[in-house]
Amino acid sequence: MKQISLKNKKIFVAGHTGLVGKSLCKRLEKEKCKVLCVNKKSLDLRDFNKTDRWLKLNKPDYIFIAAARVGGILENSSYPADFIYDNLSIALNLIHLSYKNNVKKVLYLGSSCIYPKFAKQPIKEDSLLTGSLEPTNEWYAIAKIAGLKLCKAYGIQYKNNFISAMPTNLYGPGDNFDVKSGHVLPGLINKIHNAVKQNKKKVTIWGTGEPKREFLFVDDLADALVFLMKKYNKNEHINVGSANEVSILNLAKTIARVIGFKGRFTFDKSKPDGTPRKFIDSKKINSLGWKSKTNLLDGIKLTYESYLKNKSK
Ligand code: GDP
């Protein structure tokens, strides 16, 4: 297996202020490379010409594409145009411009929602495009599928080493804890924390509480991304999972245990459940020698600590 060293290389982390980007920048400190970052205000990655100029000026050797418009189930289904436009533009610009500017390797980040709603579980990489998508996030999923196909197409036609990783549901310090726009885990931390503070006896869970999700701690993902950048050179996308799968109700109970909430849960069935299950098969990355380390309880504790720290700022 051809392995590359990141030492002394210029590495552009696109999306360095996001959940993944922040963790990735921290993880890259160990690699003794030069990390390049740029704020959204200085460079809008949806702008082709500005992105081209920035890449010409800064000349990164490698790029991690962690920039994306992301959000939970409600946010995703409420802003379909923003989700498809922003994510398609970022993928199109960065992947084509990496080819034009001779970037040596690109790692594009997708998501497990690219797979069909009723894919056979655990979901293998080759389930892609074998069935219809979950409607609540199909706009985001279509953009992510286009991104991974772009990587593959440039690999086939121009021999570019552009790879893509599909992580399962992510969480961790620095997540978006806003209930309306965020994902379930940070959303429930926020709701349950506030219920304890306000002495409330019940917390509402959206949907039935029955769907299952697999949760990967973001620092584990950052480690996997560095591992793949160094070692993975195939233009077939690769899953990154944790095998930490739990129902939404059991997730809520675990968070309640960490925070000390003793009340009960009710269900708002007017909110969507989304896909019933998306447990990905991580055999491929495991067989290359990478495994996630953080169990769900420890990950939730670390995430809750960061939530409290942020609140007290
Ligand atoms: P998904 O994995 O793309 O479906 O996105 P989410 O993380 O937003 O939602 C996962 C599941 O958790 C869905 O079934 C939601 O209906 C459910 N859920 C329950 N309570 C909440 C909540 O407070 N916030 C969010 N975002 N989802 C919730």
Side-chain angles (χ1 to χ4, degrees):
M1 196 182 342
K2 192 181 122 207
Q3 184 164 336
I4 60 167
S5 163
L6 304 186
K7 198 169 167 192
N8 299 329
K9 296 286 184 336
K10 281 207 236 175
I11 303 191
F12 175 32
V13 176
H16 72 290
T17 56
L19 175 66
V20 175
K22 263 188 279 190
S23 176
L24 188 54
C25 289
K26 197 175 68 187
R27 172 63 186 79
L28 283 170
E29 284 170 15
K30 286 191 202 160
E31 301 298 321
K32 307 203 172 9
C33 51
K34 182 169 170 26
V35 177
L36 306 175
C37 299
V38 57
N39 287 326
K40 251 189 212 156
K41 274 198 191 129
S42 319
L43 175 63
D44 182 345
L45 293 168
R46 297 169 306 176
D47 186 318
F48 184 87
N49 292 323
K50 284 187 185 150
T51 306
D52 195 19
R53 277 200 292 278
W54 191 90
L55 290 174
K56 283 198 164 57
L57 196 69
N58 291 281
K59 298 185 175 49
D61 296 298
Y62 305 120
I63 302 184
F64 287 95
I65 307 181
R69 176 180 280 267
V70 293
I73 194 162
L74 273 198
E75 181 82 354
N76 237 294
S77 48
S78 307
Y79 302 101
D82 292 350
F83 271 81
I84 195 162
Y85 178 82
D86 290 358
N87 290 307
L88 270 179
S89 319
I90 292 169
L92 206 53
N93 290 349
L94 279 178
I95 295 166
H96 180 70
L97 290 171
S98 293
Y99 151 69
K100 250 188 78 182
N101 290 291
N102 302 313
V103 175
K104 294 186 192 84
K105 189 166 180 178
V106 169
L107 195 167
Y108 177 73
L109 231 90
S111 153
S112 59
C113 71
I114 59 159
Y115 293 114
K117 175 168 185 162
F118 297 112
K120 190 167 163 254
Q121 316 276 323
I123 311 173
K124 287 196 167 49
E125 284 87 352
D126 63 8
S127 304
L128 185 70
L129 297 173
T130 57
S132 22
L133 297 165
E134 156 57 38
T136 52
N137 54 29
E138 68 172 312
W139 317 102
Y140 178 77
I142 290 282
K144 288 291 170 186
I145 293 170
L148 76 88
K149 290 290 186 189
L150 276 163
C151 289
K152 190 167 178 175
Y154 281 77
I156 294 170
Q157 190 173 337
Y158 298 117
K159 307 288 172 258
N160 286 122
N161 195 358
F162 294 173
I163 62 168
S164 49
M166 301 300 127
T168 192
N169 287 46
L170 298 170
Y171 73 104
D175 212 335
N176 172 13
F177 292 93
D178 180 64
V179 171
K180 271 204 198 123
S181 61
H183 283 102
V184 60
L185 196 150
L188 285 176
I189 287 184
N190 196 357
K191 280 192 212 173
I192 295 173
H193 172 86
N194 287 325
V196 172
K197 280 258 142 174
Q198 294 156 14
N199 222 356
K200 285 191 182 149
K201 298 284 170 264
K202 63 172 197 185
V203 164
T204 305
I205 290 177
W206 296 353
T208 61
E210 284 165 22
K212 288 183 171 172
R213 294 290 182 272
E214 179 191 12
F215 291 98
L216 175 65
F217 190 61
V218 70
D219 290 354
D220 287 345
L221 174 72
D223 189 58
L225 296 179
V226 170
F227 174 91
L228 291 170
M229 185 60 109
K230 285 179 174 174
K231 296 193 180 167
Y232 188 70
N233 298 305
K234 291 195 178 136
N235 64 15
E236 299 294 340
H237 63 282
I238 184 162
N239 288 343
V240 187
S242 64
N244 290 330
E245 194 191 31
V246 66
S247 74
I248 298 303
L249 176 59
N250 281 333
L251 172 73
K253 286 181 179 167
T254 311
I255 295 172
R257 206 154 19 106
V258 170
I259 300 182
F261 172 68
K262 303 260 169 358
R264 62 191 182 87
F265 293 105
T266 55
F267 301 91
D268 175 359
K269 292 187 184 160
S270 71
K271 298 280 196 309
D273 263 347
T275 197
R277 196 178 175 207
K278 43 178 168 177
F279 182 57
I280 59 174
D281 187 319
S282 301
K283 277 202 194 94
K284 210 162 149 181
I285 189 167
N286 293 160
S287 71
L288 295 175
W290 182 88
K291 247 195 165 82
S292 85
K293 293 191 187 87
T294 315
N295 69 44
L296 189 58
L297 189 64
D298 290 344
I300 290 172
K301 283 180 186 162
L302 291 166
T303 308
Y304 184 50
E305 273 168 27
S306 93
Y307 169 83
L308 291 176
K309 220 184 266 168
N310 250 358
K311 265 189 116 50
S312 66
K313 267 184 196 165

